[in-house]
Amino acid sequence: MEPLIDPFARAISYLRVSVTDRCDFRCLYCMSETMTFLPKKELLTLEELDRLCTAFVGLGVSKLRITGGEPLVRKGIMTFFRAMTRHLESGALKELTLTTNGSQLSRFAKDLAAAGVRRVNVSLDTLDERKFAEITRWGRLAQVLDGIDAAQAAGLRVKINTVALKGFNEDELFKLAEWCAARGMDLTFIEVMPMGDLGNEDRLDQYWSMKDLRARLSEQYRLTDLAESSGGPARYVRLEETGQKIGFITPLTHNFCESCNRVRLTCTGELFMCLGQEDRADLRAPLRASSDDTALIAAIREAIAHKPKGHDFDYSRTDAAGRSLGQMSRHMSHTGG
Ligand code: SAM
Ligand code: SF4
């Protein structure tokens, strides 16, 4: 089949799939404590997720990242991972991976490795037990650390994702880098994004720019810029002293949109063509309308034909009341980050 090429000549090869909006944590920057979740019937079934992902793989998607909410709290999720193994075996899918908070990795690491997962991203913002409980509201650090141990023991490569939060984990910058280096893990910092109405303190207070973070790192280490690009918002350096790779994700800049190769599928079957735009396409309706994939594939092609050139995040654009206009109303747990 013809591959998916958008109007700006970008080939779409990477699909991120949110398999649930639920989570066993309530991170301050991601969900409100009293988050209301979608009724179960709104969610795509595991079979529907399989059909959708299979359609994308047939259209040239070679990398699938499973996310959420917390993907490993979705009931029966290992059935889905095992079903995707056939695409790895056929060679159509080059990589099957997930982003997780790590809480369930002790239970699932071996099964994930057996299904063909080689790498996992684990989100971890602090190595301090008390601060971990504060930022995740419901999480326990020990459980996540056990999960990371289990993942490494199962042979999975682990990358740590850390949201950079001013006044929260600034003081742990070197500690986190050293801890990851000692365990052979790469580390990526993410700028906090203006997502959803969380009823929390103004997240702009917590904004810690990657420029500043990078400058701080260079006080302690020699940084070498790496040319490699994932097609996403991450830029990488190598720390010469430890050899490890450090990534910086700056979703608020526009400097990655030209090479954007990805789209995001929500757990209800909406396809978001850009993380920073509200424009979406409903794939659930064509999926449910027929067991034949013709209409579904037409809907996917139609959606890709509308992939915007770039996104609109911008903290500096505010209305008269000072409210950010670049802010997205939807939650990261809906689109999967
Ligand atoms: N529950 C899984 C996890 O935490 O890894 C997967 C879903 S979570 C929405 C995906 C990523 O989005 C996590 O690394 C999380 O830290 C990040 N994230 C959530 N809200 C964010 C925000 N407002 N700004 C920046 N990153 C955010
Ligand atoms: Fe859950 Fe991940 Fe959101 Fe934290 S960032 S509340 S772990 S979905």
Side-chain angles (χ1 to χ4, degrees), residues 22-31 68-70 100-101 123 136 332-333:
R22 281 154 217 266
C23 188
D24 52 345
F25 291 0
R26 292 288 181 281
C27 300
L28 289 174
Y29 47 72
C30 180
M31 292 187 188
E70 173 46 41
T100 171
N101 66 22
S123 305
T136 63
M332 285 287 271
S333 52

